[in-house]
Amino acid sequence: ETHLFATFQRFLRASATGVATPNQVEEGTIEILSAAVQPFRVFNEQIDLSIVETLHSFAIEAFARSGANMFVRLCQKIRMQLGFVYYEAGLLQLSSSDDLTSLSSRLARLLSELPTKSSNSSNKNNNNNDDNNNISINNNSYDSILSVSILAFHMAVCLVQREHRRAASLFHDALRMNHALCARKPRILGIVRECGAILSLREHRYFDARSGFWEAFKFFNTSGDDVQRVRCLKSLIVSETIKQYRGYGDGVDGTTTVGRACSARERLGATIDAQPFVTRPEMLEAFALSEAVAAGDVARVGKLCGSGEVSFDPRLGIDILLSEMRAEVAAADDSESTM
């Protein structure tokens, strides 16, 4: 730990003596922080959030002590990096409602340390603020990235807290941003699209959910976040499964429900971007769930959802789907017993 803190201090001295520019200091710092989570993002290895938190705290403390204005923005970027880790690692390693609440609290605490208004923005640029969230909408390059990041993290917190109306407002605010300025930060836009897709799924807007998960997958695919892109593909399959179970499928192709569900693998495999992931073990879990739901195998669905080895995004509402299936089976049994 002392070694890490000393490393950031050396960066400061290099900048103060002109050996390194502020941009070089920033690049070196972000590279160290990114390397700490790279095994998780690329290889799906377990991550110790406490260690990552300590590393980011050391960096913030070292640069905050300098008192230089040039490092204020770097501290903000470090906090955003930590927010990405909370979002990414939390969703894969936390599954219970209590754990999700803990993740929400961590993100909320982080958001309190980020500015809600850019120091560079004037009043005329603040006309699009959400009254409840007081988040500034700016089109300056850095301000745009920071604002969309804050909106994305707020959306994640709202979804966990089931504040869907507020999450929808934040999502529309994020879409109003100039995304051309954020194109070099696809991870941010991936979070926005994924949260928007989950919101659409909760509101039974299945076409929007499918489009959202697909767009999120493409953004995470661009950023190279393997865990996130696979999760979005799994979520896409789950959303289609829920749609078909609830009777929102078109049903005009003449195939049975089971036939349509089983072809999900083939349809996804037909797309060039998703083709390399179709045979991944994580995707096979999603296909197995889809087939079990289509076959009405409640026991199999319950086993897949309750297994610690099988993980689905807890925000998708699979528990609600399982409850609906069990209620349908119970109603059918009652109907038979009264005949």
Side-chain angles (χ1 to χ4, degrees), residues 148-174:
V148 175
S149 299
I150 293 174
L151 288 168
F153 295 148
H154 268 293
M155 285 176 63
V157 172
C158 289
L159 285 174
V160 172
Q161 297 176 344
R162 300 182 185 277
E163 297 178 6
H164 296 153
R165 176 176 293 184
R166 188 182 180 198
S169 175
L170 293 169
F171 177 64
H172 292 304
D173 285 345

Side-chain angles (χ1 to χ4, degrees), residues 85-336:
V85 176
Y86 283 155
Y87 182 84
E88 297 165 351
L91 291 180
L92 270 292
Q93 297 185 11
L94 308 178
S95 57
S96 70
S97 58
D98 291 339
D99 286 339
L100 279 174
T101 301
S102 174
L103 169 65
S104 174
S105 299
R106 281 173 163 169
L107 269 176
R109 184 176 67 249
L110 181 90
L111 285 167
S112 68
E113 299 171 353
L114 286 169
T116 55
K117 289 185 178 181
S118 168
S119 59
N120 297 327
S121 60
S122 61
N123 290 334
K124 66 180 180 180
N125 289 328
N126 292 334
N127 295 329
N128 291 328
N129 283 359
D130 185 295
D131 293 336
N132 295 324
N133 303 305
N134 198 32
I135 299 173
S136 181
I137 306 295
N138 306 298
N139 281 325
N140 296 326
S141 179
Y142 172 75
D143 291 337
S144 178
I145 294 172
L146 176 62
S147 296
V148 175
S149 299
I150 293 174
L151 288 168
F153 295 148
H154 268 293
M155 285 176 63
V157 172
C158 289
L159 285 174
V160 172
Q161 297 176 344
R162 300 182 185 277
E163 297 178 6
H164 296 153
R165 176 176 293 184
R166 188 182 180 198
S169 175
L170 293 169
F171 177 64
H172 292 304
D173 285 345
L175 292 182
R176 288 204 303 269
M177 298 293 295
N178 188 344
H179 282 188
L181 296 173
C182 301
R184 53 197 170 98
K185 300 293 183 180
R187 185 175 295 128
I188 300 172
L189 300 183
I191 294 176
V192 170
R193 287 295 183 178
E194 185 179 20
C195 288
I198 291 169
L199 190 64
S200 297
L201 182 60
R202 288 287 189 172
E203 296 175 349
H204 299 180
R205 293 185 287 110
Y206 298 106
F207 178 81
D208 291 339
R210 179 177 59 185
S211 299
F213 285 128
W214 181 249
E215 288 298 317
F217 159 74
K218 291 195 291 186
F219 281 124
F220 287 130
N221 200 30
T222 300
S223 66
D225 292 334
D226 184 70
V227 175
Q228 317 310 321
R229 59 191 175 191
V230 172
R231 184 184 67 237
C232 287
L233 287 180
K234 287 178 63 176
S235 297
L236 189 153
I237 295 299
V238 171
S239 68
E240 288 292 282
T241 300
I242 293 175
K243 179 189 74 172
Q244 292 172 5
Y245 175 78
R246 290 175 176 165
Y248 285 84
D250 49 40
V252 298
D253 55 2
T255 61
T256 63
T257 304
V258 175
R260 290 197 302 271
C262 290
S263 65
R265 185 181 325 198
E266 299 173 4
R267 291 199 302 272
L268 201 59
T271 60
I272 296 177
D273 290 335
Q275 202 171 54
F277 306 98
V278 172
T279 57
R280 291 277 292 270
E282 305 96 313
M283 292 302 300
L284 297 181
E285 297 169 357
F287 295 136
L289 176 70
S290 178
E291 293 165 7
V293 171
D297 190 342
V298 179
R300 176 66 173 157
V301 173
K303 184 177 181 180
L304 286 169
C305 295
S307 172
E309 299 179 357
V310 180
S311 61
F312 292 100
D313 189 332
R315 301 172 300 172
L316 296 176
I318 298 180
D319 55 331
I320 299 176
L321 172 64
L322 181 58
S323 297
E324 291 177 0
M325 293 184 69
R326 286 172 173 166
E328 184 177 341
V329 170
D333 291 341
D334 291 342
S335 177
E336 290 179 2

Side-chain angles (χ1 to χ4, degrees), residues 53-75:
E53 285 176 323
T54 300
L55 178 61
H56 284 70
S57 296
F58 278 156
I60 292 172
E61 181 181 356
F63 292 113
R65 281 185 181 182
S66 71
N69 290 332
M70 69 179 70
F71 293 123
V72 172
R73 179 172 294 185
L74 176 55
C75 289

